[in-house]
Amino acid sequence: MTDIAGADARRTEPVLSLRNVSKNFGAVSALTDIELDVHAGEVVALVGDNGAGKSTLVKILAGVHQPSSGTIRFMGQEVQLTDPGAALDLGIATVFQDLALCENLDVVANIFLGREAVPWRLDEVAMEVRAWTLLNELSARIPSVREPVASLSGGQRQTVAIARSLLLEPKLIMLDEPTAALGVAQTAEVLNLIERVRDRGLGVIMISHNMEDVRAVADRIVVLRLGRNNGVFLPDASNHELVAAITGATENAVSRRASRREAPRMTAQEEPR
Amino acid sequence: MSQNAPDPGARALDRSDVRLRHDEGLGGAIRAFLDRIRSGDLGMLPVAVGLVIISLVFSALNPVFLAPNNLVNLLFDCATVGVISLGIVCVLMVGEIDLSVGSMSGFASAMVGMLWVNNGWPVAVAILAALAVGALVGTLYAFLFNRLGMPSFVATLAGLLAILGLQLYILGTSGSINLPYQSPLVKFGQVLLMPAWLSHALALLPGIVLVVIGLGNMNRRRAANLSPGSMGGLIVRAVVLTLALEAVVYYLNLGRGVPWMFGLFVALVLVMNYAFTRTKWGRSMIAVGGNREAARRAGINVRFIYTSAFVLCSMFAALGGILSAARLASASQQAGTGDVNLNAIAAAVIGGTSLFGGRGSAYSALLGIIVIQAIASGLTLLNLSSSLRYMITGGVLAIAVIVDSLARRSRVSHGRA
Ligand SMILES: Nc1ncnc2c1ncn2[C@@H]1O[C@H](COP(=O)(O)OP(=O)(O)OP(=O)(O)O)[C@@H](O)[C@H]1O
Ligand SMILES: [Mg+2]
């Protein structure tokens, strides 16, 4: 399976394929006619400004929200993601931006929530061992898995949420800003993990505001702007192009800021001694 | 040393973080316990302290309070409201409330009286019918809550009145139905006691089970390269528990003995405790009470969980009503009114089940109801009027809720909410 990676992936049928997906919250059109393909063994980065609709799209694919219109095909079948259980059963795992952990339960209980080993006689030992294995794969820094999640730091919670998404061996994994709160080592681990998951032939959707991380692992970069598709880029696209697509203008706050920082340095260089 | 341990020098899987203080052995267990208390995880402590104070005060005022037979009567009384309180634990666990348990219990007792005594149904069928009606009422509350988004306290407040109306309606003009004294049901509620040898044997069981399960767990954890926990702590807990239970049973056997009805209540508590702590359903209940949306996103059928909580609560209320009819040998218009509702809810909260959801245990019904009934019994022995009894019980409930709120605040500030 490992050879189905990178460019070869695009020739196979996509794992996930969205056509004309729209979502309205009352009068707000959060998403309009979104098209998106994710192939096996491919990392698709979803980027866009705050409020562009990235999380809304992820929640639709996780079965949390229902699309107002449009079709979703998963593994070649048209699917209705009526509730989160349906998405999980299909093999779509999600790390939500707000993590969606139960603070009153401990780390093991959170990782296995809804998927406990042996429903009528919980196997705490097996679950704890598996939890440690998952957490160690992520080089997690968690002192004890028997403490309630409320006592963990933001980054530790994020690691727990990521560990949970890996539990079920999903076919598609969606990470909504997975590295926002992570330390240097943990971010590197998550990026490594994304590559490992990709090499195992899974599809990955990753949302991030960090262009460096995006370039490092993404095979394609899909830009959303104000709830619409606004271009697809390869990771070697220039920063300027990406920023223009994200903000919707060549003249924007980012470019103005960049030129402001350039200008004094230029004058300093030109200054005669 | 276990031959399963891969490498004696290697750290256990859950002991690899250097920041973790390793509470090994008995001293460690005690230190961990103190830490938990300090951070607001009070558990059973308030109840234990409360019971000691209550016993000291009331036995000083009237020595009869601690007489074996008074305690036996106390246990008979505990069983009826205690079963109702067990249902309250279920709804509190998911962060909801049922204010109609008193009416439900009264209606169930009236149903049994009418079907069995007046209409000649077999008593078992009458009991099953009452339990089925309880399940139906719970389903109705769940429907109102899940589908119509009605807050549970409003739905069940409406239910309180409606079910009370039903109770008065089926009791009709007579107002009460006497249950035959010689029937097994009434005997169960008034005089059936365990033989002394059996009660002593049963009191041994918890300690044995604790040790057997504990040792099994330690072996499995060691084999899986997890820290096994302290053997000393386990033995001490088992010995203390067994000695305490044997002492209580011995004392009760100086009087009439241990009521079978109380045995039934304890058995139900143990079953519910297993369900809460060792099954997927129980885990889901705690998760829904803690963070409903997170539970939904984990694929838990949240509506089913709420439904199971309301149905169980109403069924336990019905069962509690039947037991109190057996205790009083009658089904009357007064059954389930007055302080039954309040006592059932107060018992759960006093025992340590949080009103805010996601935190609690089946044992809280058992311990809480013992506190409540001890106060009631003590006040009755002092010949205080019911006006004073209500005021004092109300005060105790207020204190319990204050303790719950303060403990919760402390948990939040210690990051253990
Ligand atoms: N439940 C909701 N009800 C109403 N409007 C919503 C809801 N969820 C999202 N929206 C709206 O949809 C739009 C897109 O929100 P979304 O959370 O998808 O943005 P995002 O791209 O993830 O932004 P960020 O980078 O800040 O996470 C926003 O305008 C938001 O106000
Ligand atoms: Mg977002």
mmCIF file of all heavy atoms in Angstrom, chain A residues 54-56 97 176-177 207, ligand 2:
data_model
loop_
_atom_site.group_PDB
_atom_site.id
_atom_site.type_symbol
_atom_site.label_atom_id
_atom_site.label_comp_id
_atom_site.label_asym_id
_atom_site.label_seq_id
_atom_site.Cartn_x
_atom_site.Cartn_y
_atom_site.Cartn_z
ATOM 1 N N LYS A 54 -13.674 26.813 7.318
ATOM 2 C CA LYS A 54 -12.897 25.569 7.388
ATOM 3 C C LYS A 54 -13.485 24.618 8.430
ATOM 4 O O LYS A 54 -13.734 23.439 8.141
ATOM 5 C CB LYS A 54 -11.440 25.888 7.746
ATOM 6 C CG LYS A 54 -10.787 26.938 6.861
ATOM 7 C CD LYS A 54 -9.363 27.218 7.263
ATOM 8 C CE LYS A 54 -9.216 27.845 8.645
ATOM 9 N NZ LYS A 54 -9.763 29.207 8.792
ATOM 10 N N SER A 55 -13.699 25.132 9.628
ATOM 11 C CA SER A 55 -14.212 24.256 10.683
ATOM 12 C C SER A 55 -15.618 23.769 10.341
ATOM 13 O O SER A 55 -15.980 22.632 10.655
ATOM 14 C CB SER A 55 -14.243 24.996 12.015
ATOM 15 O OG SER A 55 -12.940 25.330 12.405
ATOM 16 N N THR A 56 -16.416 24.630 9.722
ATOM 17 C CA THR A 56 -17.763 24.214 9.340
ATOM 18 C C THR A 56 -17.691 23.037 8.376
ATOM 19 O O THR A 56 -18.444 22.053 8.519
ATOM 20 C CB THR A 56 -18.501 25.392 8.690
ATOM 21 O OG1 THR A 56 -18.436 26.503 9.577
ATOM 22 C CG2 THR A 56 -19.929 25.042 8.396
ATOM 23 N N GLN A 97 -11.469 21.574 16.405
ATOM 24 C CA GLN A 97 -10.729 22.752 16.854
ATOM 25 C C GLN A 97 -10.914 22.960 18.358
ATOM 26 O O GLN A 97 -9.969 23.296 19.059
ATOM 27 C CB GLN A 97 -11.229 23.982 16.089
ATOM 28 C CG GLN A 97 -10.363 25.202 16.276
ATOM 29 C CD GLN A 97 -10.715 26.301 15.292
ATOM 30 O OE1 GLN A 97 -11.745 26.263 14.640
ATOM 31 N NE2 GLN A 97 -9.855 27.288 15.191
ATOM 32 N N ASP A 176 -8.255 19.692 12.667
ATOM 33 C CA ASP A 176 -8.581 21.119 12.627
ATOM 34 C C ASP A 176 -7.602 21.858 13.549
ATOM 35 O O ASP A 176 -7.738 21.814 14.762
ATOM 36 C CB ASP A 176 -10.029 21.331 13.074
ATOM 37 C CG ASP A 176 -10.538 22.722 12.720
ATOM 38 O OD1 ASP A 176 -9.700 23.579 12.368
ATOM 39 O OD2 ASP A 176 -11.756 22.945 12.799
ATOM 40 N N GLU A 177 -6.639 22.516 12.953
ATOM 41 C CA GLU A 177 -5.570 23.211 13.681
ATOM 42 C C GLU A 177 -4.950 22.314 14.753
ATOM 43 O O GLU A 177 -4.983 22.634 15.939
ATOM 44 C CB GLU A 177 -6.101 24.509 14.285
ATOM 45 C CG GLU A 177 -6.741 25.364 13.204
ATOM 46 C CD GLU A 177 -6.816 26.840 13.572
ATOM 47 O OE1 GLU A 177 -6.095 27.256 14.473
ATOM 48 O OE2 GLU A 177 -7.578 27.551 12.915
ATOM 49 N N ILE A 207 -6.019 21.380 8.690
ATOM 50 C CA ILE A 207 -6.264 22.814 8.691
ATOM 51 C C ILE A 207 -5.175 23.462 9.517
ATOM 52 O O ILE A 207 -4.850 22.979 10.605
ATOM 53 C CB ILE A 207 -7.637 23.139 9.303
ATOM 54 C CG1 ILE A 207 -8.740 22.556 8.435
ATOM 55 C CG2 ILE A 207 -7.815 24.633 9.481
ATOM 56 C CD1 ILE A 207 -10.110 22.763 8.991
HETATM 57 MG MG MG C 2 -11.946 26.919 12.672
#
